[in-house]
Amino acid sequence: MKKVLIAAMALTVSMSVMTSCKDTKDKAEKASEEAAKSLEEAGDDLEKAADDAADAMEKAGKDAKEMGEKALDSLKKAGEETMDAAEKAGEEMKEAAKKAIDSI
């Protein structure tokens, strides 16, 4: 009877260990699947972030080019206005010099 009781207890422990191992295996598989899914989602998020960054850099480049062109136009206009003013001042100085010479 003792042998039967010991065998039954050993069988019960053995079944319990086998069930526990199967549950552990199932949980490990589930955790592995969830980890793979999370990694895939993270990869998608990183790809989207990289695309957004590239778009932002392209827009910033276009904006910088446009601002540079506007600055160049402003400098060109300011240079032309300065040259016109210098030319006018030169003419006025010529006339003043002529008047000064005539009055002497």
Side-chain angles (χ1 to χ4, degrees):
M1 183 78 161
K2 269 185 169 180
K3 289 183 181 181
V4 172
L5 184 59
I6 291 173
M9 286 175 60
L11 184 60
T12 302
V13 169
S14 176
M15 290 295 287
S16 180
V17 169
M18 285 176 35
T19 303
S20 177
C21 288
K22 185 176 186 308
D23 289 345
T24 302
K25 178 187 169 211
D26 292 344
K27 287 179 183 177
E29 285 178 358
K30 185 176 179 182
S32 178
E33 289 172 2
E34 288 177 2
K37 184 179 177 183
S38 294
L39 285 173
E40 185 177 339
E41 289 174 359
D44 291 344
D45 290 345
L46 285 173
E47 184 177 353
K48 184 179 179 202
D51 289 344
D52 290 347
D55 291 345
M57 289 173 61
E58 184 178 351
K59 185 179 184 315
K62 287 179 182 178
D63 290 347
K65 180 181 177 186
E66 185 177 317
M67 288 175 17
E69 289 172 352
K70 286 180 181 178
L72 187 61
D73 289 344
S74 294
L75 286 172
K76 183 179 177 183
K77 184 177 178 184
E80 289 172 355
E81 289 174 357
T82 301
M83 290 300 293
D84 290 345
E87 190 176 310
K88 184 178 177 184
E91 291 295 323
E92 289 173 358
M93 288 174 55
K94 256 190 201 179
E95 287 182 33
K98 281 184 186 179
K99 285 181 183 178
I101 291 172
D102 288 344
S103 66
I104 295 178

